[in-house]
Amino acid sequence: MAFYFEEPSRTFNEYLLVPGYSSPECIPSKVSLRTPLTRFRNGEEPAICLNIPLVSAIMQSVSDNGMAIALATEGGLSFIYGSQTIEDQSLMVGRVKDYKAGFVTSDANLSPDMTLADVLALKERYGHSTMPVTHDGSAHGRLLGIVTSRDYRVSRMELTERVAGFMTPFEKLTVARQPTSLKVANDLIWDHKLNSIPFVDEQDHLLYLVFRKDYDSHKSNPLEMLDSQKRYMVGAGINTRDYSERVPALVKAGADVLCIDSSEGFSAWQEQTLHWVRERYGDTVKIGAGNVVDEEGFRFLAEAGADFIKVGIGGGSICITREQKGIGRGQATALIEVAKARHTYYKETGVYIPICSDGGIVYDHHMTLALAMGADFLMLGRYFARFDESPTNKVNINGNYMKEYWGEGSARARNWQRYDLGGEKTDLTFEEGVDSYVPYAGALKDNMDLTLAKIRSTMCNCGALTISELQEKAKLTVVSSTSIVEGGAHDVLLKDKTPYVSNTIR
């Protein structure tokens, strides 16, 4: 007969944290939210750590290069959606890697014979307004000049006008010469009040560009997620169909970590994909897998070689998998069981595999609950979809500004690879996601500052200054339906609220 779990599957809303002792040192400014992203052995450091425990979901309506840049600036990471062509996804990854670096290799380059139309086309493709002009139009040709948005006016010029006629010529440029340091280049930028400076060799061949905004950004955002070359870090989603073509392209584009995007990860297809990556790249390519909801699923993916494992099926606000198929588990229960499995696996093998809680977050305090229950980091869709930086349209619905938000299993996304069960069929048979709106919430930074402040404050209430300490010290209690009502405002007549940021992640 079928196996029956004795306990019901529960959601985050059915739990509360019980306060612990807070020492004088336990204040929010001292809380560290740094957390491992990839597997590591006992006594070793993880190859990648997040500076805050938040990543954005692998969704068309959430994670493009704009979201990736904004989130990396704050210390998190985006996984750029894979339900697009390999070329387009690789281009998005490349835009993130090129956006900020100490020394930037230019990817939008001009020759003097090119036209204003070529300038506009390159700007549309790469998003850059600063373009070097080299003798052969290459990234490392002899530098002849620079074109910026100040050098042309589309309304006053013909699209056929040659670059040589409106560029700022080399003799009028301030340049940094090899050998020198990034500090010297930045000093030149400040001394000459420039936005950028070209870095050239002794023969005036272009090597790199150095930008003022990179220096400013780093000083203003100490938690930035940067790689060894001072570039923003970015992840990318893959599927179990075209991984042999997609993975090499994403690695070449500079993706720091990959993740198999699937509604259910306990499958031979994920095992095959993980084995393929390990056979060709060893441990140099970091890749997560999922989703699972129990110990068996965790063990399967851990032994297959996943660097992190996502937990959760059917808990997303736009996911209707449980309605359509009757598959899934309450997110809190799933996370608790998988965290126990992770702990047992670590004791047996000495290998720690981070787990990512994916779905089920309704309020900010649910994030702290998920971390206390064992999640190393959280993957969020709806939370990030509300912000300016998400790639969707802002629309006015009955006088209220909203952002579009749709699931990967919706008819709009038609991401059949995410729900792939093998065979020859290459389309959605039925929907497992909906097309919807979420209330517009403004800039990512403003909202995340508030969310992270709540997490740090709650951790202090539990006597914890790190996520691992929170997991050791946390005391959780199941709450009744009436105590949930008691936890909110009740038995009073509320005044009209002023429109500040709500604690509900709608």
Side-chain angles (χ1 to χ4, degrees):
M1 61 180 290
F3 176 82
Y4 291 87
F5 289 92
E6 294 182 2
E7 295 293 326
S9 66
R10 299 186 182 276
T11 66
F12 293 131
N13 220 38
E14 296 177 74
Y15 287 91
L16 285 175
L17 284 159
V18 175
Y21 171 70
S22 299
S23 69
E25 292 76 30
C26 204
I27 57 177
S29 62
K30 293 186 177 181
V31 171
S32 170
L33 295 178
R34 187 172 171 82
T35 189
L37 178 69
T38 56
R39 72 159 64 201
F40 61 94
R41 289 193 169 275
N42 186 19
E44 298 178 353
E45 287 295 314
I48 303 176
C49 283
L50 297 166
N51 291 326
I52 61 171
L54 305 180
V55 302
S56 64
I58 311 170
M59 299 174 69
Q60 296 173 11
S61 56
V62 178
S63 297
D64 67 348
N65 51 286
M67 177 60 71
I69 290 166
L71 187 50
T73 302
E74 301 303 318
L77 189 89
S78 286
F79 285 87
I80 290 179
Y81 68 93
S83 51
Q84 59 179 320
T85 67
I86 296 173
E87 180 182 7
D88 287 345
Q89 188 184 22
S90 299
L91 190 60
M92 284 190 182
V93 169
R95 285 174 178 167
V96 179
K97 301 307 292 186
D98 291 340
Y99 182 81
K100 178 188 182 301
F103 295 110
V104 178
T105 299
S106 178
D107 57 4
N109 304 289
L110 302 165
S111 68
D113 293 329
M114 295 174 75
T115 66
L116 177 58
D118 296 318
V119 172
L120 298 177
L122 282 175
K123 184 176 181 181
E124 175 68 22
R125 181 179 182 187
Y126 292 103
H128 306 325
S129 59
T130 299
M131 303 180 196
V133 183
T134 59
H135 77 287
D136 59 358
S138 70
H140 300 296
R142 183 165 48 85
L143 185 64
L144 302 179
I146 290 282
V147 170
T148 72
S149 58
R150 292 175 296 182
D151 291 314
Y152 60 87
R153 289 293 180 269
V154 176
S155 60
R156 299 183 181 184
M157 297 168 60
E158 297 293 331
L159 294 179
T160 55
E161 187 164 341
R162 293 172 64 244
V163 166
F166 60 86
M167 70 181 186
T168 301
F170 181 83
E171 54 268 21
K172 292 186 178 180
L173 297 176
T174 300
V175 300
R177 291 192 178 276
Q178 191 185 43
T180 190
S181 66
L182 181 60
K183 182 181 184 304
V184 171
N186 279 320
D187 287 343
L188 285 170
I189 286 175
W190 283 96
D191 291 343
H192 294 273
K193 299 180 180 180
L194 303 171
N195 289 323
S196 65
I197 191 170
F199 198 91
V200 299
D201 64 14
E202 294 178 355
Q203 287 76 42
D204 295 334
H205 288 92
L206 178 65
L207 300 175
Y208 310 104
L209 295 174
V210 179
F211 290 91
R212 174 195 288 262
K213 64 179 175 63
D214 296 346
Y215 178 87
D216 292 343
S217 176
H218 182 60
K219 292 299 181 182
S220 303
N221 302 285
L223 295 180
E224 287 176 318
M225 280 292 293
L226 303 177
D227 65 14
S228 59
Q229 300 177 53
K230 305 288 187 185
R231 301 176 301 177
Y232 281 139
M233 299 187 75
V234 61
I238 66 170
N239 61 67
T240 57
R241 286 274 183 162
D242 65 6
Y243 56 86
S244 61
E245 294 83 33
R246 192 173 293 269
V247 170
L250 292 172
V251 170
K252 183 178 179 180
D256 298 282
V257 59
L258 307 176
C259 183
I260 303 173
D261 181 28
S262 175
S263 64
E264 202 276 298
F266 196 177
S267 72
W269 298 281
Q270 290 219 9
E271 183 181 44
Q272 291 167 7
T273 304
L274 290 168
H275 286 174
W276 185 91
V277 170
R278 292 291 173 245
E279 288 169 2
R280 283 155 183 79
Y281 295 97
D283 291 330
T284 60
V285 169
K286 304 304 178 184
I287 179 170
N291 288 21
V292 299
V293 293
D294 62 5
E295 179 181 7
E296 282 186 278
F298 172 85
R299 282 268 176 178
F300 176 80
L301 292 178
E303 292 168 359
D307 281 299
F308 65 85
I309 294 173
K310 289 204 297 162
V311 180
I313 295 176
S317 60
I318 40 68
C319 183
I320 54 173
T321 294
R322 296 181 192 175
E323 292 180 14
Q324 294 281 57
K325 297 168 64 174
I327 292 289
R329 199 175 192 186
Q331 186 66 15
T333 298
L335 182 57
I336 291 168
E337 180 171 326
V338 172
K340 288 179 180 177
R342 187 264 315 280
H343 182 66
T344 301
Y345 186 85
Y346 179 56
K347 288 173 61 178
E348 292 175 1
T349 66
V351 176
Y352 186 93
I353 301 179
I355 57 176
C356 168
S357 180
D358 180 16
I361 300 292
V362 180
Y363 302 98
D364 283 348
H365 77 267
H366 287 174
M367 297 185 193
T368 319
L369 284 168
L371 295 171
M373 290 173 180
D376 294 282
F377 59 99
L378 318 174
M379 180 170 279
L380 306 171
R382 178 183 52 171
Y383 178 83
F384 289 114
R386 305 172 302 144
F387 302 149
D388 288 321
E389 294 81 1
S390 72
T392 61
N393 295 319
K394 183 173 73 171
V395 295
N396 192 306
I397 306 293
N398 297 325
N400 296 310
Y401 280 110
M402 313 288 282
K403 290 276 282 186
E404 294 178 309
Y405 180 46
W406 60 90
E408 290 295 291
S410 67
R412 182 171 185 172
R414 304 206 68 79
N415 183 7
W416 64 269
Q417 295 96 330
R418 189 176 196 277
Y419 304 89
D420 187 24
L421 293 174
E424 298 300 319
K425 190 168 181 62
T426 58
D427 200 0
L428 284 175
T429 305
F430 53 88
E431 291 181 88
E432 294 190 45
V434 298
D435 197 346
S436 64
Y437 299 102
V438 289
Y440 168 66
L444 177 145
K445 179 176 176 56
D446 296 338
N447 286 273
M448 277 190 50
D449 284 349
L450 178 59
T451 295
L452 296 176
K454 292 178 183 178
I455 293 174
R456 292 187 177 102
S457 179
T458 306
M459 288 173 62
C460 288
N461 291 143
C462 297
L465 291 174
T466 65
I467 292 173
S468 60
E469 191 177 8
L470 173 67
Q471 292 166 354
E472 292 173 5
K473 293 183 174 181
K475 296 179 289 184
L476 293 118
T477 181
V478 175
V479 296
S480 67
S481 58
T482 52
S483 64
I484 293 174
V485 174
E486 179 187 61
H490 59 90
D491 301 315
V492 294
L493 181 62
L494 294 177
K495 297 179 180 179
D496 291 336
K497 291 185 178 180
T498 54
Y500 76 108
V501 179
S502 170
N503 70 336
T504 301
I505 307 165
R506 293 189 176 90

